[in-house]
Amino acid sequence: ARSAKSVVLHGLRGEGRTVMLGEFHRIAEERDWMTVTIEANTSSPLRDTLARALYPVVRELVRPNADDKLTKALATFKAFSVKVDIAGAWSFGFDVVSERGRGDSGGLEADISELIRDLAEAAQEQDRGLAILIDEAQDLTRDELKALCAICHQGGQHRWPFLMALAGLPSLPRALSKANGLAEHLFSYWEINQLPDGAARQALTETAAGSGVLWDEEALRYVMTESQGHPYFLQEYGQATWDAAESATLTFDDARVGVASGRAHLDARFYRPNWERATRAQQAYLAAMAWDGTGPSQSADVAARLGKTHMAVGWFRKDLVEKGLIFSPEQGKVAYAIPGMADYIARKSRS
């Protein structure tokens, strides 16, 4: 229950960010930390999402003869969440009066900071810590990111037993830096990317070996090459190869069938649902990006391919970013948030 530098996990979709965040949650709970995981979204303010997720966790803190720090934390939480719990349905088993002037100013940065401080100190009284894990953090507003940076700064200064982990697209570090110039010092940044060959090999062979099944070297190399180290692709191609096999050794022929079958599964369950979330105009924008392969693409070049001005396609680009289908790695550039999207669009155009 010591303070630590908070964490940012950033990478493309399907690379394992959410799985990693889930593992963080498991480890924190294993150590008896108060732990909450939320998913940011553009339709719900962070205050509301956090209040709803924290309520069962805060309630679990309650015990008979609550001390001053716990009572204070409960009062701050009640004040913080009053707009979410308008009917007053949330209770803690005993009367708690909202503490006026704490957690209820309406200023997000001040209110969240006060709430996290009081909860962390109450947890510390029980020899525990507090972990807040936020997925899809690129969907948070600039003010919300600014508030989270302030919390991490204060937590480090005052040695709160608190850790925050944010997971999001590759644009997340840049968004944090725009929200707070000190963001690079407040977080430990980890890029969740393709697995290197050794790790990809291990993922395939050790899983199979646990059931007494071996990979033929040619088959193994073929699946590794076709997956390009993307964890989700390895999972799909490996599973499909396993399903195609008729012996205790996975052969090259099994792998060829597995990759074809796995790719069809990815098209149906990963690419197509995301493609269909885009309007026809947005699909045309995605297709224009495919000329650059894996990218990134110059925004001006994409607009030119569509026969439009850079300003005219601004809304398409903005909506695609909000849907999490593309992101801006740097000013004037766009890239797919989904690995292999250009290949999918090429396959779709040929079908």
Side-chain angles (χ1 to χ4, degrees):
R2 298 177 182 176
S3 63
K5 183 178 283 191
S6 288
V7 177
V8 172
L9 306 175
H10 57 100
L12 300 177
R13 299 198 179 281
E15 304 287 56
R17 292 179 287 110
T18 301
V19 174
M20 289 286 287
L21 212 59
E23 184 67 4
F24 283 10
H25 191 118
R26 185 194 65 79
I27 292 170
E29 287 203 323
E30 196 175 69
R31 285 155 176 75
D32 201 29
W33 276 45
M34 293 171 54
T35 311
V36 61
T37 299
I38 63 175
E39 182 175 315
N41 64 81
T42 54
S43 62
S44 178
L46 176 62
R47 177 190 287 268
D48 295 2
T49 306
L50 189 58
R52 290 190 176 92
L54 273 173
Y55 171 64
V57 177
V58 172
R59 199 175 193 284
E60 193 263 333
L61 264 182
V62 176
R63 64 183 190 281
N65 304 318
D67 56 34
D68 291 344
K69 287 188 176 180
L70 175 56
T71 302
K72 181 180 179 181
L74 297 177
T76 303
F77 175 78
K78 191 167 185 178
F80 178 84
S81 62
V82 67
K83 291 183 179 179
V84 182
D85 182 33
I86 298 174
W90 295 353
S91 65
F92 302 107
F94 60 88
D95 290 336
V96 175
V97 179
S98 300
E99 184 169 341
R100 292 178 62 84
R102 191 162 185 83
D104 63 354
S105 71
L108 183 66
E109 184 175 323
D111 290 351
I112 291 185
S113 295
E114 289 168 352
L115 174 65
I116 297 304
R117 176 173 186 164
D118 291 351
L119 288 176
E121 289 182 349
Q124 193 168 37
E125 286 287 296
Q126 300 182 19
D127 295 321
R128 305 169 71 187
L130 171 65
I132 294 181
L133 317 176
I134 304 178
D135 202 3
E136 302 296 345
Q138 77 280 342
D139 287 340
L140 296 170
T141 67
R142 185 167 183 169
D143 285 344
E144 289 169 344
L145 290 174
K146 183 180 177 182
L148 296 182
C149 288
I151 293 168
C152 292
H153 191 199
Q154 291 180 48
Q157 285 184 319
H158 299 291
R159 298 186 178 278
W160 299 343
F162 166 72
L163 182 134
M164 182 181 295
L166 306 177
L169 293 176
S171 54
L172 179 57
R174 183 163 167 245
L176 283 165
S177 182
K178 284 185 175 181
N180 187 311
L182 296 175
E184 62 181 280
H185 304 293
L186 299 175
F187 298 93
S188 175
Y189 291 86
W190 295 89
E191 183 178 7
I192 309 302
N193 210 330
Q194 295 107 307
L195 296 177
D197 285 351
R201 175 182 291 268
Q202 181 181 353
L204 293 169
T205 58
E206 289 194 4
T207 303
S211 297
V213 175
L214 301 175
W215 279 83
D216 175 83
E217 181 63 25
E218 190 178 10
L220 182 63
R221 289 181 179 176
Y222 181 69
V223 170
M224 289 170 58
T225 298
E226 292 299 312
S227 69
Q228 299 178 356
H230 295 296
Y232 188 27
F233 297 1
L234 280 166
Q235 183 180 354
E236 286 289 340
Y237 297 171
Q239 178 67 56
T241 300
W242 176 282
D243 292 341
E246 297 181 355
S247 71
T249 299
L250 306 181
T251 67
F252 178 66
D253 286 342
D254 297 330
R256 289 181 62 188
V257 173
V259 167
S261 177
R263 187 168 288 134
H265 289 167
L266 286 171
D267 285 355
R269 299 186 303 198
F270 186 48
Y271 291 114
R272 189 182 303 153
N274 281 296
W275 174 261
E276 291 177 350
R277 289 170 55 213
T279 65
R280 286 190 178 180
Q282 292 166 2
Q283 288 173 355
Y285 191 94
L286 292 172
M289 288 174 59
W291 286 43
D292 299 307
T294 57
S297 302
Q298 293 285 347
S299 298
D301 291 344
V302 177
R305 290 165 192 162
L306 294 170
K308 299 180 180 293
T309 66
H310 185 258
M311 294 293 292
V313 298
W315 286 108
F316 304 156
R317 184 173 60 252
K318 180 176 180 293
D319 287 346
L320 286 168
V321 169
E322 290 181 352
K323 289 177 179 180
L325 297 177
I326 66 172
F327 67 98
S328 177
E330 56 184 277
Q331 192 70 29
K333 293 185 178 182
V334 288
Y336 295 117
I338 301 169
M341 192 67 177
D343 290 340
Y344 169 74
I345 291 171
R347 291 195 298 275
K348 184 175 176 60
S349 67
R350 292 195 297 266
S351 62

